[in-house]
Amino acid sequence: ADEALTQDPVLAVWALDFEYVVASKSQAAGRAVRLAATMFEKALQTGQVQRAITAATNAGFDLTRIKDYESALVWMQKGLDLARRAGWPVSIGLCLIETAETLRQLRQPAMARELLQEALQTLGANSHGRRMALALNYLGDVELDSGRYTAAHEAFEALQRLAGPMQQTDLMAIALRGRAQSLARIDRQDEALRAAHE
């Protein structure tokens, strides 16, 4: 990062955030985690609570990607604790969502489901953004993993309804993939094929 940015502790947080994104998108998970951890500390030192929550969640995300689940959960908890203390529903929801995905990968679907249901409640009926979509995506995957195919289909249907007006093709593809998988498991093969083709 530029020397002037790194010398100013407030701006350093944002420079680290940028460097984190580059590292994470480049699949350099170890570097990404180190940058997120440094960002977290500097954000706390400068009172940038929202940035600290983001940094903790980012560290957890990349640790999950490299299957260091225990460390990931520690970082997710740091972010969630800060978000709860601040009382920010959107931040709380995001922390719950990402923690749930880590738990899903740890094959703890009941705990993951509970966190996702809390996230959906916390985000509320007026939330129609990507965070809500992410929660529905992860919930559908949890239900697929659990063999609860009707519940999975309901989650992916809700995701499809949300993705349509948002015109987000990636979310629509996820919803249709999930619908196809769940429909195939409940012997609705024609509908599954239609979803897959779509």
Side-chain angles (χ1 to χ4, degrees):
D2 183 275
E3 188 176 341
L5 290 179
T6 56
Q7 286 178 350
D8 183 313
V10 175
L11 293 178
V13 172
W14 292 88
L16 287 162
D17 195 9
F18 173 78
E19 289 185 48
Y20 162 79
V21 170
V22 172
S24 184
K25 297 287 186 190
S26 303
Q27 307 299 315
R31 176 169 164 71
V33 170
R34 287 192 297 277
L35 288 164
T38 304
M39 177 185 163
F40 178 80
E41 295 301 330
K42 287 189 180 295
L44 286 181
Q45 289 165 11
T46 56
Q48 298 181 74
V49 177
Q50 181 63 57
R51 294 287 85 204
I53 294 167
T54 298
T57 306
N58 287 345
F61 171 81
D62 278 286
L63 285 161
T64 297
R65 286 203 312 185
I66 59 174
K67 302 189 186 320
D68 184 351
Y69 299 122
E70 287 185 21
S71 299
L73 289 173
V74 168
W75 277 103
M76 297 292 191
Q77 191 63 52
K78 287 181 183 184
L80 183 56
D81 288 345
L82 282 174
R84 286 195 193 282
R85 282 201 296 273
W88 295 332
V90 172
S91 296
I92 293 168
L94 183 59
C95 291
L96 290 168
I97 290 165
E98 292 298 345
T99 304
E101 176 60 8
T102 302
L103 289 168
R104 183 185 77 83
Q105 293 192 34
L106 272 170
R107 294 186 171 88
Q108 296 187 36
M111 290 176 66
R113 183 183 301 109
E114 185 177 326
L115 292 186
L116 288 166
Q117 288 167 345
E118 183 185 347
L120 289 166
Q121 281 187 326
T122 301
L123 291 170
N126 295 322
S127 179
H128 299 293
R130 287 190 70 91
R131 287 178 182 87
M132 182 67 83
L134 188 61
L136 291 167
N137 173 182
Y138 287 174
L139 181 59
D141 286 338
V142 165
E143 302 298 21
L144 279 176
D145 290 352
S146 304
R148 293 163 43 108
Y149 303 120
T150 300
H153 184 255
E154 289 169 2
F156 287 119
E157 261 193 328
L159 174 57
Q160 186 174 354
R161 286 193 300 272
L162 186 63
M166 290 171 64
Q167 297 184 331
Q168 299 286 315
T169 54
D170 61 329
L171 297 177
M172 186 62 76
I174 290 166
L176 290 166
R177 179 270 304 167
R179 286 191 59 227
Q181 284 181 288
S182 53
L183 286 165
R185 295 303 187 100
I186 55 177
D187 294 326
R188 292 165 62 180
Q189 304 300 333
D190 290 344
E191 292 173 81
L193 281 170
R194 279 198 297 274
H197 285 303
E198 189 177 342

